[in-house]
Amino acid sequence: MRMKDKVALITGAASGMGAATARLFGREGATVFVADLLDKEGADVVDSIKKAQGKARYLHLDVTDEAGWQATIAEIEKSAGGLDVLVNNAGISGSAEQDLYDTAAWNRLMGINATGVFLGMKHGIPAMKKRATQGKKGGSVINLSSVSGIVGQGYIHVGYNASKGAVRMITKAGAAQHGRDNIRVNSVHPGLMPPMRTSGRTADPVMRAKTLKGVPLGRAGEVDEVAHAILFLASDESSYITGAELVVDGGWTAV
Ligand SMILES: NC(=O)c1ccc[n+]([C@@H]2O[C@H](COP(=O)([O-])OP(=O)(O)OC[C@H]3O[C@@H](n4cnc5c(N)ncnc54)[C@H](O)[C@@H]3O)[C@@H](O)[C@H]2O)c1
């Protein structure tokens, strides 16, 4: 059990990679808080974890809502006694926008993808500090960036790349600032994965086939392949890794 005795909060965990990570953490012995806007889907994820003998609970959280973050962290501290792992996974795609410089889309993308991560660290880390300095193995924050936080793309709203680039650097700032608190902060950068709920062009089979030509492993990734990378960074196996960016892209950005 690689997550035994750990309390974890995963945002955007009703769907996709967040849901896969929640189920994997549940199988590995964590107490998992599944947070999202999609209450029905989130409750279904919790049910599936419980059916597999795991411990989980759903909490409604809009990651752009600072008061919501405060209430969420307070509830976790009250009911589970503290927080060890925070996975800032909630996000929206920029590939459905027609105008790649639309201002409203910029604000939406930055608000959810970047400010949402900032607020998670702002309110999650103080709670994690209490346990990390009490002789446990320390806390771990994992922020979901993307290959779009490393390289630019011609077919995605610029706010998606900017927000994911911000996540990459918030992560490194967090690593620099919280190492002495025994809290590690790392980012994960998925490549071509099953489309997001909010995907547009990146869900188009013709576009995906074109992208695949540049992926050395020659296939799209699976949500469990990202969940396993997140599990490694959440577990004590990665105890000397902080400020790192773990690319899970089949080699896309290596060529
Ligand atoms: N799928 C991909 O191709 C891909 C590639 C690289 C990175 N990513 C990143 O990985 C993360 C997960 O993506 P996914 O593929 O699982 O997408 P998804 O659309 O399946 O899941 C995203 C989840 O975030 C939730 N969410 C959206 N806005 C929210 C908000 N304001 N508050 C709380 N929850 C909110 C959604 O309800 C959804 O459940 C995202 O940050 C995404 O940008 C995805």
Side-chain angles (χ1 to χ4, degrees), residues 11-18 35-38 61-64 89-92 112-113 144-147 160 164 189-198:
T11 67
S15 173
M17 296 189 264
D36 208 294
L37 298 170
L38 302 173
L61 172 67
D62 178 343
V63 295
T64 65
N89 164 79
I92 55 169
I112 295 172
N113 294 358
L144 267 288
S145 178
S146 165
V147 292
Y160 189 74
K164 292 301 181 180
H189 300 254
L192 188 69
M193 300 300 301
M196 299 172 70
R197 286 172 178 265
T198 44

PDB file of all heavy atoms in Angstrom, residues 11-18 35-38 61-64 89-92 112-113 144-147 160 164 189-198, ligand 1:
ATOM      1  N   THR A  11      -8.456  17.661  -7.047  1.00  0.00           N
ATOM      2  CA  THR A  11      -9.474  18.513  -7.677  1.00  0.00           C
ATOM      3  C   THR A  11      -9.770  18.003  -9.087  1.00  0.00           C
ATOM      4  O   THR A  11      -8.935  17.342  -9.708  1.00  0.00           O
ATOM      5  CB  THR A  11      -9.005  19.982  -7.750  1.00  0.00           C
ATOM      6  OG1 THR A  11      -7.892  20.080  -8.662  1.00  0.00           O
ATOM      7  CG2 THR A  11      -8.610  20.510  -6.375  1.00  0.00           C
ATOM      8  N   GLY A  12     -10.964  18.291  -9.565  1.00  0.00           N
ATOM      9  CA  GLY A  12     -11.350  17.817 -10.895  1.00  0.00           C
ATOM     10  C   GLY A  12     -11.351  16.305 -10.961  1.00  0.00           C
ATOM     11  O   GLY A  12     -11.054  15.713 -12.004  1.00  0.00           O
ATOM     12  N   ALA A  13     -11.710  15.675  -9.867  1.00  0.00           N
ATOM     13  CA  ALA A  13     -11.558  14.211  -9.761  1.00  0.00           C
ATOM     14  C   ALA A  13     -12.809  13.442 -10.174  1.00  0.00           C
ATOM     15  O   ALA A  13     -12.881  12.229 -10.001  1.00  0.00           O
ATOM     16  CB  ALA A  13     -11.156  13.832  -8.329  1.00  0.00           C
ATOM     17  N   ALA A  14     -13.794  14.149 -10.755  1.00  0.00           N
ATOM     18  CA  ALA A  14     -15.005  13.452 -11.206  1.00  0.00           C
ATOM     19  C   ALA A  14     -14.812  12.804 -12.569  1.00  0.00           C
ATOM     20  O   ALA A  14     -15.650  12.030 -13.014  1.00  0.00           O
ATOM     21  CB  ALA A  14     -16.171  14.441 -11.260  1.00  0.00           C
ATOM     22  N   SER A  15     -13.691  13.126 -13.235  1.00  0.00           N
ATOM     23  CA  SER A  15     -13.559  12.756 -14.644  1.00  0.00           C
ATOM     24  C   SER A  15     -12.096  12.483 -14.984  1.00  0.00           C
ATOM     25  O   SER A  15     -11.192  12.885 -14.250  1.00  0.00           O
ATOM     26  CB  SER A  15     -14.083  13.946 -15.460  1.00  0.00           C
ATOM     27  OG  SER A  15     -13.871  13.778 -16.830  1.00  0.00           O
ATOM     28  N   GLY A  16     -11.867  11.799 -16.082  1.00  0.00           N
ATOM     29  CA  GLY A  16     -10.549  11.686 -16.709  1.00  0.00           C
ATOM     30  C   GLY A  16      -9.415  11.277 -15.777  1.00  0.00           C
ATOM     31  O   GLY A  16      -9.529  10.320 -15.007  1.00  0.00           O
ATOM     32  N   MET A  17      -8.344  12.033 -15.840  1.00  0.00           N
ATOM     33  CA  MET A  17      -7.132  11.660 -15.096  1.00  0.00           C
ATOM     34  C   MET A  17      -7.315  11.833 -13.593  1.00  0.00           C
ATOM     35  O   MET A  17      -6.737  11.083 -12.808  1.00  0.00           O
ATOM     36  CB  MET A  17      -5.958  12.497 -15.607  1.00  0.00           C
ATOM     37  CG  MET A  17      -5.676  12.186 -17.062  1.00  0.00           C
ATOM     38  SD  MET A  17      -4.192  12.922 -17.670  1.00  0.00           S
ATOM     39  CE  MET A  17      -4.842  14.395 -18.419  1.00  0.00           C
ATOM     40  N   GLY A  18      -8.126  12.822 -13.188  1.00  0.00           N
ATOM     41  CA  GLY A  18      -8.399  13.012 -11.761  1.00  0.00           C
ATOM     42  C   GLY A  18      -9.135  11.809 -11.188  1.00  0.00           C
ATOM     43  O   GLY A  18      -8.802  11.319 -10.103  1.00  0.00           O
ATOM     44  N   ALA A  35     -12.845  16.077  -5.283  1.00  0.00           N
ATOM     45  CA  ALA A  35     -13.478  17.398  -5.381  1.00  0.00           C
ATOM     46  C   ALA A  35     -13.743  17.755  -6.843  1.00  0.00           C
ATOM     47  O   ALA A  35     -12.911  17.483  -7.710  1.00  0.00           O
ATOM     48  CB  ALA A  35     -12.580  18.461  -4.742  1.00  0.00           C
ATOM     49  N   ASP A  36     -14.900  18.350  -7.096  1.00  0.00           N
ATOM     50  CA  ASP A  36     -15.249  18.731  -8.471  1.00  0.00           C
ATOM     51  C   ASP A  36     -16.498  19.598  -8.442  1.00  0.00           C
ATOM     52  O   ASP A  36     -17.073  19.839  -7.376  1.00  0.00           O
ATOM     53  CB  ASP A  36     -15.487  17.471  -9.340  1.00  0.00           C
ATOM     54  CG  ASP A  36     -15.193  17.698 -10.816  1.00  0.00           C
ATOM     55  OD1 ASP A  36     -15.919  18.485 -11.455  1.00  0.00           O
ATOM     56  OD2 ASP A  36     -14.236  17.107 -11.337  1.00  0.00           O
ATOM     57  N   LEU A  37     -16.904  20.041  -9.636  1.00  0.00           N
ATOM     58  CA  LEU A  37     -18.187  20.745  -9.805  1.00  0.00           C
ATOM     59  C   LEU A  37     -19.281  19.753 -10.164  1.00  0.00           C
ATOM     60  O   LEU A  37     -20.461  20.030 -10.002  1.00  0.00           O
ATOM     61  CB  LEU A  37     -18.081  21.732 -10.984  1.00  0.00           C
ATOM     62  CG  LEU A  37     -17.090  22.868 -10.901  1.00  0.00           C
ATOM     63  CD1 LEU A  37     -16.984  23.558 -12.266  1.00  0.00           C
ATOM     64  CD2 LEU A  37     -17.537  23.851  -9.847  1.00  0.00           C
ATOM     65  N   LEU A  38     -18.873  18.611 -10.711  1.00  0.00           N
ATOM     66  CA  LEU A  38     -19.827  17.612 -11.213  1.00  0.00           C
ATOM     67  C   LEU A  38     -20.176  16.643 -10.074  1.00  0.00           C
ATOM     68  O   LEU A  38     -19.494  15.630  -9.879  1.00  0.00           O
ATOM     69  CB  LEU A  38     -19.217  16.844 -12.402  1.00  0.00           C
ATOM     70  CG  LEU A  38     -18.773  17.705 -13.593  1.00  0.00           C
ATOM     71  CD1 LEU A  38     -18.029  16.851 -14.615  1.00  0.00           C
ATOM     72  CD2 LEU A  38     -19.983  18.381 -14.233  1.00  0.00           C
ATOM     73  N   LEU A  61     -16.340  21.494  -5.008  1.00  0.00           N
ATOM     74  CA  LEU A  61     -15.386  22.613  -4.961  1.00  0.00           C
ATOM     75  C   LEU A  61     -15.178  23.192  -6.351  1.00  0.00           C
ATOM     76  O   LEU A  61     -14.783  22.487  -7.276  1.00  0.00           O
ATOM     77  CB  LEU A  61     -14.026  22.141  -4.401  1.00  0.00           C
ATOM     78  CG  LEU A  61     -12.898  23.179  -4.494  1.00  0.00           C
ATOM     79  CD1 LEU A  61     -13.151  24.388  -3.601  1.00  0.00           C
ATOM     80  CD2 LEU A  61     -11.536  22.554  -4.150  1.00  0.00           C
ATOM     81  N   ASP A  62     -15.446  24.490  -6.472  1.00  0.00           N
ATOM     82  CA  ASP A  62     -15.042  25.247  -7.665  1.00  0.00           C
ATOM     83  C   ASP A  62     -13.662  25.816  -7.337  1.00  0.00           C
ATOM     84  O   ASP A  62     -13.530  26.623  -6.403  1.00  0.00           O
ATOM     85  CB  ASP A  62     -16.056  26.367  -7.920  1.00  0.00           C
ATOM     86  CG  ASP A  62     -15.667  27.227  -9.116  1.00  0.00           C
ATOM     87  OD1 ASP A  62     -14.494  27.184  -9.551  1.00  0.00           O
ATOM     88  OD2 ASP A  62     -16.536  27.968  -9.597  1.00  0.00           O
ATOM     89  N   VAL A  63     -12.643  25.409  -8.082  1.00  0.00           N
ATOM     90  CA  VAL A  63     -11.268  25.796  -7.715  1.00  0.00           C
ATOM     91  C   VAL A  63     -10.999  27.294  -7.843  1.00  0.00           C
ATOM     92  O   VAL A  63      -9.979  27.784  -7.372  1.00  0.00           O
ATOM     93  CB  VAL A  63     -10.200  25.004  -8.514  1.00  0.00           C
ATOM     94  CG1 VAL A  63     -10.247  23.529  -8.178  1.00  0.00           C
ATOM     95  CG2 VAL A  63     -10.322  25.250 -10.024  1.00  0.00           C
ATOM     96  N   THR A  64     -11.919  28.036  -8.469  1.00  0.00           N
ATOM     97  CA  THR A  64     -11.729  29.491  -8.575  1.00  0.00           C
ATOM     98  C   THR A  64     -12.318  30.230  -7.366  1.00  0.00           C
ATOM     99  O   THR A  64     -12.192  31.459  -7.275  1.00  0.00           O
ATOM    100  CB  THR A  64     -12.390  30.056  -9.856  1.00  0.00           C
ATOM    101  OG1 THR A  64     -13.818  29.875  -9.762  1.00  0.00           O
ATOM    102  CG2 THR A  64     -11.884  29.368 -11.105  1.00  0.00           C
ATOM    103  N   ASN A  89      -5.580  19.195 -10.131  1.00  0.00           N
ATOM    104  CA  ASN A  89      -5.795  18.583 -11.444  1.00  0.00           C
ATOM    105  C   ASN A  89      -6.883  19.262 -12.264  1.00  0.00           C
ATOM    106  O   ASN A  89      -6.877  19.180 -13.490  1.00  0.00           O
ATOM    107  CB  ASN A  89      -6.137  17.098 -11.210  1.00  0.00           C
ATOM    108  CG  ASN A  89      -6.748  16.446 -12.426  1.00  0.00           C
ATOM    109  OD1 ASN A  89      -6.042  16.079 -13.363  1.00  0.00           O
ATOM    110  ND2 ASN A  89      -8.074  16.319 -12.436  1.00  0.00           N
ATOM    111  N   ALA A  90      -7.834  19.943 -11.600  1.00  0.00           N
ATOM    112  CA  ALA A  90      -8.967  20.534 -12.330  1.00  0.00           C
ATOM    113  C   ALA A  90      -8.457  21.448 -13.440  1.00  0.00           C
ATOM    114  O   ALA A  90      -7.503  22.198 -13.246  1.00  0.00           O
ATOM    115  CB  ALA A  90      -9.856  21.325 -11.375  1.00  0.00           C
ATOM    116  N   GLY A  91      -9.103  21.383 -14.591  1.00  0.00           N
ATOM    117  CA  GLY A  91      -8.673  22.254 -15.682  1.00  0.00           C
ATOM    118  C   GLY A  91      -9.663  22.246 -16.826  1.00  0.00           C
ATOM    119  O   GLY A  91     -10.532  21.378 -16.914  1.00  0.00           O
ATOM    120  N   ILE A  92      -9.529  23.245 -17.704  1.00  0.00           N
ATOM    121  CA  ILE A  92     -10.326  23.298 -18.929  1.00  0.00           C
ATOM    122  C   ILE A  92      -9.389  23.444 -20.122  1.00  0.00           C
ATOM    123  O   ILE A  92      -8.265  23.928 -19.990  1.00  0.00           O
ATOM    124  CB  ILE A  92     -11.355  24.459 -18.905  1.00  0.00           C
ATOM    125  CG1 ILE A  92     -10.670  25.806 -18.632  1.00  0.00           C
ATOM    126  CG2 ILE A  92     -12.470  24.177 -17.900  1.00  0.00           C
ATOM    127  CD1 ILE A  92     -11.579  27.010 -18.861  1.00  0.00           C
ATOM    128  N   ILE A 112      -9.254  29.241 -14.013  1.00  0.00           N
ATOM    129  CA  ILE A 112      -9.381  27.849 -13.554  1.00  0.00           C
ATOM    130  C   ILE A 112      -8.008  27.163 -13.516  1.00  0.00           C
ATOM    131  O   ILE A 112      -7.612  26.589 -12.502  1.00  0.00           O
ATOM    132  CB  ILE A 112     -10.358  27.068 -14.464  1.00  0.00           C
ATOM    133  CG1 ILE A 112     -11.764  27.661 -14.339  1.00  0.00           C
ATOM    134  CG2 ILE A 112     -10.352  25.577 -14.122  1.00  0.00           C
ATOM    135  CD1 ILE A 112     -12.786  27.115 -15.320  1.00  0.00           C
ATOM    136  N   ASN A 113      -7.266  27.257 -14.625  1.00  0.00           N
ATOM    137  CA  ASN A 113      -6.035  26.451 -14.734  1.00  0.00           C
ATOM    138  C   ASN A 113      -4.871  26.995 -13.899  1.00  0.00           C
ATOM    139  O   ASN A 113      -4.064  26.210 -13.389  1.00  0.00           O
ATOM    140  CB  ASN A 113      -5.586  26.376 -16.195  1.00  0.00           C
ATOM    141  CG  ASN A 113      -6.580  25.619 -17.067  1.00  0.00           C
ATOM    142  OD1 ASN A 113      -7.591  25.112 -16.591  1.00  0.00           O
ATOM    143  ND2 ASN A 113      -6.301  25.542 -18.355  1.00  0.00           N
ATOM    144  N   LEU A 144      -1.094  19.597 -12.121  1.00  0.00           N
ATOM    145  CA  LEU A 144      -1.237  19.136 -13.499  1.00  0.00           C
ATOM    146  C   LEU A 144      -0.991  20.285 -14.467  1.00  0.00           C
ATOM    147  O   LEU A 144      -1.819  21.184 -14.599  1.00  0.00           O
ATOM    148  CB  LEU A 144      -2.624  18.528 -13.722  1.00  0.00           C
ATOM    149  CG  LEU A 144      -2.740  17.014 -13.525  1.00  0.00           C
ATOM    150  CD1 LEU A 144      -2.054  16.248 -14.663  1.00  0.00           C
ATOM    151  CD2 LEU A 144      -2.149  16.564 -12.200  1.00  0.00           C
ATOM    152  N   SER A 145       0.165  20.248 -15.118  1.00  0.00           N
ATOM    153  CA  SER A 145       0.440  21.150 -16.227  1.00  0.00           C
ATOM    154  C   SER A 145       0.130  20.368 -17.493  1.00  0.00           C
ATOM    155  O   SER A 145      -0.891  19.657 -17.549  1.00  0.00           O
ATOM    156  CB  SER A 145       1.889  21.639 -16.160  1.00  0.00           C
ATOM    157  OG  SER A 145       2.191  22.474 -17.249  1.00  0.00           O
ATOM    158  N   SER A 146       0.996  20.413 -18.482  1.00  0.00           N
ATOM    159  CA  SER A 146       0.747  19.768 -19.778  1.00  0.00           C
ATOM    160  C   SER A 146       2.009  19.940 -20.599  1.00  0.00           C
ATOM    161  O   SER A 146       2.866  20.769 -20.256  1.00  0.00           O
ATOM    162  CB  SER A 146      -0.422  20.493 -20.464  1.00  0.00           C
ATOM    163  OG  SER A 146      -0.496  20.153 -21.832  1.00  0.00           O
ATOM    164  N   VAL A 147       2.097  19.213 -21.719  1.00  0.00           N
ATOM    165  CA  VAL A 147       3.159  19.563 -22.670  1.00  0.00           C
ATOM    166  C   VAL A 147       2.957  21.005 -23.139  1.00  0.00           C
ATOM    167  O   VAL A 147       3.909  21.693 -23.506  1.00  0.00           O
ATOM    168  CB  VAL A 147       3.197  18.605 -23.891  1.00  0.00           C
ATOM    169  CG1 VAL A 147       3.644  17.211 -23.492  1.00  0.00           C
ATOM    170  CG2 VAL A 147       1.856  18.553 -24.617  1.00  0.00           C
ATOM    171  N   TYR A 160      -4.323  28.802 -22.787  1.00  0.00           N
ATOM    172  CA  TYR A 160      -4.068  27.441 -22.291  1.00  0.00           C
ATOM    173  C   TYR A 160      -2.570  27.262 -22.082  1.00  0.00           C
ATOM    174  O   TYR A 160      -2.131  26.851 -21.001  1.00  0.00           O
ATOM    175  CB  TYR A 160      -4.616  26.376 -23.252  1.00  0.00           C
ATOM    176  CG  TYR A 160      -4.555  24.979 -22.633  1.00  0.00           C
ATOM    177  CD1 TYR A 160      -5.445  24.605 -21.633  1.00  0.00           C
ATOM    178  CD2 TYR A 160      -3.586  24.051 -23.028  1.00  0.00           C
ATOM    179  CE1 TYR A 160      -5.391  23.344 -21.044  1.00  0.00           C
ATOM    180  CE2 TYR A 160      -3.519  22.789 -22.449  1.00  0.00           C
ATOM    181  CZ  TYR A 160      -4.425  22.434 -21.455  1.00  0.00           C
ATOM    182  OH  TYR A 160      -4.355  21.186 -20.863  1.00  0.00           O
ATOM    183  N   LYS A 164      -0.784  26.858 -18.385  1.00  0.00           N
ATOM    184  CA  LYS A 164      -0.010  25.655 -18.052  1.00  0.00           C
ATOM    185  C   LYS A 164       1.467  26.001 -17.809  1.00  0.00           C
ATOM    186  O   LYS A 164       2.150  25.335 -17.024  1.00  0.00           O
ATOM    187  CB  LYS A 164      -0.166  24.602 -19.153  1.00  0.00           C
ATOM    188  CG  LYS A 164      -1.594  24.029 -19.233  1.00  0.00           C
ATOM    189  CD  LYS A 164      -2.003  23.382 -17.914  1.00  0.00           C
ATOM    190  CE  LYS A 164      -3.385  22.777 -17.952  1.00  0.00           C
ATOM    191  NZ  LYS A 164      -3.765  22.146 -16.670  1.00  0.00           N
ATOM    192  N   HIS A 189       3.195  16.572 -16.722  1.00  0.00           N
ATOM    193  CA  HIS A 189       2.925  17.156 -18.041  1.00  0.00           C
ATOM    194  C   HIS A 189       2.451  16.097 -19.025  1.00  0.00           C
ATOM    195  O   HIS A 189       3.249  15.550 -19.794  1.00  0.00           O
ATOM    196  CB  HIS A 189       4.208  17.833 -18.568  1.00  0.00           C
ATOM    197  CG  HIS A 189       4.714  18.921 -17.680  1.00  0.00           C
ATOM    198  ND1 HIS A 189       4.600  20.260 -17.971  1.00  0.00           N
ATOM    199  CD2 HIS A 189       5.310  18.864 -16.450  1.00  0.00           C
ATOM    200  CE1 HIS A 189       5.096  20.982 -16.984  1.00  0.00           C
ATOM    201  NE2 HIS A 189       5.539  20.149 -16.047  1.00  0.00           N
ATOM    202  N   PRO A 190       1.145  15.806 -19.032  1.00  0.00           N
ATOM    203  CA  PRO A 190       0.644  14.813 -19.996  1.00  0.00           C
ATOM    204  C   PRO A 190       0.709  15.357 -21.420  1.00  0.00           C
ATOM    205  O   PRO A 190       0.640  16.573 -21.643  1.00  0.00           O
ATOM    206  CB  PRO A 190      -0.815  14.608 -19.563  1.00  0.00           C
ATOM    207  CG  PRO A 190      -0.919  15.162 -18.181  1.00  0.00           C
ATOM    208  CD  PRO A 190       0.094  16.270 -18.115  1.00  0.00           C
ATOM    209  N   GLY A 191       0.795  14.423 -22.367  1.00  0.00           N
ATOM    210  CA  GLY A 191       0.774  14.793 -23.786  1.00  0.00           C
ATOM    211  C   GLY A 191      -0.574  14.462 -24.395  1.00  0.00           C
ATOM    212  O   GLY A 191      -1.608  14.891 -23.880  1.00  0.00           O
ATOM    213  N   LEU A 192      -0.574  13.691 -25.473  1.00  0.00           N
ATOM    214  CA  LEU A 192      -1.834  13.337 -26.153  1.00  0.00           C
ATOM    215  C   LEU A 192      -2.567  12.261 -25.341  1.00  0.00           C
ATOM    216  O   LEU A 192      -2.143  11.112 -25.281  1.00  0.00           O
ATOM    217  CB  LEU A 192      -1.546  12.826 -27.567  1.00  0.00           C
ATOM    218  CG  LEU A 192      -2.768  12.598 -28.447  1.00  0.00           C
ATOM    219  CD1 LEU A 192      -3.429  13.918 -28.829  1.00  0.00           C
ATOM    220  CD2 LEU A 192      -2.403  11.817 -29.704  1.00  0.00           C
ATOM    221  N   MET A 193      -3.665  12.683 -24.729  1.00  0.00           N
ATOM    222  CA  MET A 193      -4.446  11.810 -23.839  1.00  0.00           C
ATOM    223  C   MET A 193      -5.878  11.737 -24.364  1.00  0.00           C
ATOM    224  O   MET A 193      -6.230  12.467 -25.288  1.00  0.00           O
ATOM    225  CB  MET A 193      -4.465  12.428 -22.425  1.00  0.00           C
ATOM    226  CG  MET A 193      -3.114  12.619 -21.789  1.00  0.00           C
ATOM    227  SD  MET A 193      -2.175  11.100 -21.588  1.00  0.00           S
ATOM    228  CE  MET A 193      -3.259  10.126 -20.564  1.00  0.00           C
ATOM    229  N   PRO A 194      -6.749  10.907 -23.775  1.00  0.00           N
ATOM    230  CA  PRO A 194      -8.165  11.001 -24.150  1.00  0.00           C
ATOM    231  C   PRO A 194      -8.607  12.449 -23.989  1.00  0.00           C
ATOM    232  O   PRO A 194      -8.180  13.124 -23.047  1.00  0.00           O
ATOM    233  CB  PRO A 194      -8.852  10.095 -23.121  1.00  0.00           C
ATOM    234  CG  PRO A 194      -7.792   9.140 -22.682  1.00  0.00           C
ATOM    235  CD  PRO A 194      -6.501   9.907 -22.737  1.00  0.00           C
ATOM    236  N   PRO A 195      -9.455  12.949 -24.906  1.00  0.00           N
ATOM    237  CA  PRO A 195      -9.824  14.376 -24.865  1.00  0.00           C
ATOM    238  C   PRO A 195     -10.450  14.773 -23.530  1.00  0.00           C
ATOM    239  O   PRO A 195     -11.070  13.953 -22.863  1.00  0.00           O
ATOM    240  CB  PRO A 195     -10.851  14.506 -25.989  1.00  0.00           C
ATOM    241  CG  PRO A 195     -10.637  13.336 -26.869  1.00  0.00           C
ATOM    242  CD  PRO A 195     -10.084  12.236 -26.030  1.00  0.00           C
ATOM    243  N   MET A 196     -10.259  16.042 -23.170  1.00  0.00           N
ATOM    244  CA  MET A 196     -10.933  16.594 -21.991  1.00  0.00           C
ATOM    245  C   MET A 196     -12.407  16.818 -22.332  1.00  0.00           C
ATOM    246  O   MET A 196     -12.767  16.902 -23.499  1.00  0.00           O
ATOM    247  CB  MET A 196     -10.284  17.930 -21.609  1.00  0.00           C
ATOM    248  CG  MET A 196      -8.825  17.801 -21.253  1.00  0.00           C
ATOM    249  SD  MET A 196      -8.031  19.422 -21.028  1.00  0.00           S
ATOM    250  CE  MET A 196      -8.783  19.964 -19.506  1.00  0.00           C
ATOM    251  N   ARG A 197     -13.251  16.982 -21.317  1.00  0.00           N
ATOM    252  CA  ARG A 197     -14.666  17.302 -21.546  1.00  0.00           C
ATOM    253  C   ARG A 197     -14.818  18.571 -22.363  1.00  0.00           C
ATOM    254  O   ARG A 197     -15.793  18.743 -23.079  1.00  0.00           O
ATOM    255  CB  ARG A 197     -15.368  17.508 -20.204  1.00  0.00           C
ATOM    256  CG  ARG A 197     -15.606  16.227 -19.465  1.00  0.00           C
ATOM    257  CD  ARG A 197     -16.109  16.488 -18.068  1.00  0.00           C
ATOM    258  NE  ARG A 197     -16.358  15.223 -17.420  1.00  0.00           N
ATOM    259  CZ  ARG A 197     -17.567  14.629 -17.382  1.00  0.00           C
ATOM    260  NH1 ARG A 197     -18.608  15.211 -17.889  1.00  0.00           N
ATOM    261  NH2 ARG A 197     -17.695  13.451 -16.807  1.00  0.00           N
ATOM    262  N   THR A 198     -13.866  19.484 -22.203  1.00  0.00           N
ATOM    263  CA  THR A 198     -13.959  20.790 -22.840  1.00  0.00           C
ATOM    264  C   THR A 198     -13.114  20.895 -24.117  1.00  0.00           C
ATOM    265  O   THR A 198     -12.947  21.984 -24.655  1.00  0.00           O
ATOM    266  CB  THR A 198     -13.504  21.863 -21.827  1.00  0.00           C
ATOM    267  OG1 THR A 198     -12.318  21.387 -21.169  1.00  0.00           O
ATOM    268  CG2 THR A 198     -14.569  22.142 -20.779  1.00  0.00           C
TER     269      THR A 198
HETATM  270  N1  LIG B   1      -6.690  15.307 -21.698  1.00  0.00           N
HETATM  271  C1  LIG B   1      -5.618  15.870 -22.176  1.00  0.00           C
HETATM  272  O1  LIG B   1      -5.326  15.776 -23.364  1.00  0.00           O
HETATM  273  C2  LIG B   1      -4.661  16.619 -21.269  1.00  0.00           C
HETATM  274  C3  LIG B   1      -3.327  16.771 -21.675  1.00  0.00           C
HETATM  275  C4  LIG B   1      -2.460  17.482 -20.858  1.00  0.00           C
HETATM  276  C5  LIG B   1      -2.888  17.992 -19.646  1.00  0.00           C
HETATM  277  N2  LIG B   1      -4.198  17.842 -19.271  1.00  0.00           N
HETATM  278  C6  LIG B   1      -4.586  18.414 -17.971  1.00  0.00           C
HETATM  279  O2  LIG B   1      -4.922  17.367 -17.076  1.00  0.00           O
HETATM  280  C7  LIG B   1      -5.955  17.788 -16.182  1.00  0.00           C
HETATM  281  C8  LIG B   1      -7.112  16.795 -16.216  1.00  0.00           C
HETATM  282  O3  LIG B   1      -7.644  16.744 -17.525  1.00  0.00           O
HETATM  283  P1  LIG B   1      -8.634  15.597 -18.041  1.00  0.00           P
HETATM  284  O4  LIG B   1      -8.155  15.150 -19.360  1.00  0.00           O
HETATM  285  O5  LIG B   1      -8.858  14.591 -16.993  1.00  0.00           O
HETATM  286  O6  LIG B   1      -9.951  16.495 -18.301  1.00  0.00           O
HETATM  287  P2  LIG B   1     -11.500  16.272 -17.930  1.00  0.00           P
HETATM  288  O7  LIG B   1     -12.231  17.326 -18.669  1.00  0.00           O
HETATM  289  O8  LIG B   1     -11.883  14.849 -18.149  1.00  0.00           O
HETATM  290  O9  LIG B   1     -11.520  16.544 -16.358  1.00  0.00           O
HETATM  291  C9  LIG B   1     -11.347  17.821 -15.808  1.00  0.00           C
HETATM  292  C10 LIG B   1     -12.189  17.910 -14.545  1.00  0.00           C
HETATM  293  O10 LIG B   1     -11.998  19.215 -13.974  1.00  0.00           O
HETATM  294  C11 LIG B   1     -13.254  19.658 -13.531  1.00  0.00           C
HETATM  295  N3  LIG B   1     -13.291  21.116 -13.443  1.00  0.00           N
HETATM  296  C12 LIG B   1     -13.296  22.017 -14.460  1.00  0.00           C
HETATM  297  N4  LIG B   1     -13.395  23.265 -13.973  1.00  0.00           N
HETATM  298  C13 LIG B   1     -13.434  23.149 -12.619  1.00  0.00           C
HETATM  299  C14 LIG B   1     -13.540  24.087 -11.558  1.00  0.00           C
HETATM  300  N5  LIG B   1     -13.632  25.401 -11.784  1.00  0.00           N
HETATM  301  N6  LIG B   1     -13.546  23.626 -10.286  1.00  0.00           N
HETATM  302  C15 LIG B   1     -13.465  22.286 -10.037  1.00  0.00           C
HETATM  303  N7  LIG B   1     -13.385  21.357 -11.001  1.00  0.00           N
HETATM  304  C16 LIG B   1     -13.383  21.790 -12.281  1.00  0.00           C
HETATM  305  C17 LIG B   1     -14.253  19.124 -14.563  1.00  0.00           C
HETATM  306  O11 LIG B   1     -15.572  19.115 -14.053  1.00  0.00           O
HETATM  307  C18 LIG B   1     -13.691  17.734 -14.822  1.00  0.00           C
HETATM  308  O12 LIG B   1     -14.244  16.774 -13.957  1.00  0.00           O
HETATM  309  C19 LIG B   1      -6.332  19.206 -16.619  1.00  0.00           C
HETATM  310  O13 LIG B   1      -5.664  20.136 -15.797  1.00  0.00           O
HETATM  311  C20 LIG B   1      -5.826  19.279 -18.045  1.00  0.00           C
HETATM  312  O14 LIG B   1      -5.553  20.598 -18.455  1.00  0.00           O
HETATM  313  C21 LIG B   1      -5.087  17.156 -20.057  1.00  0.00           C
END
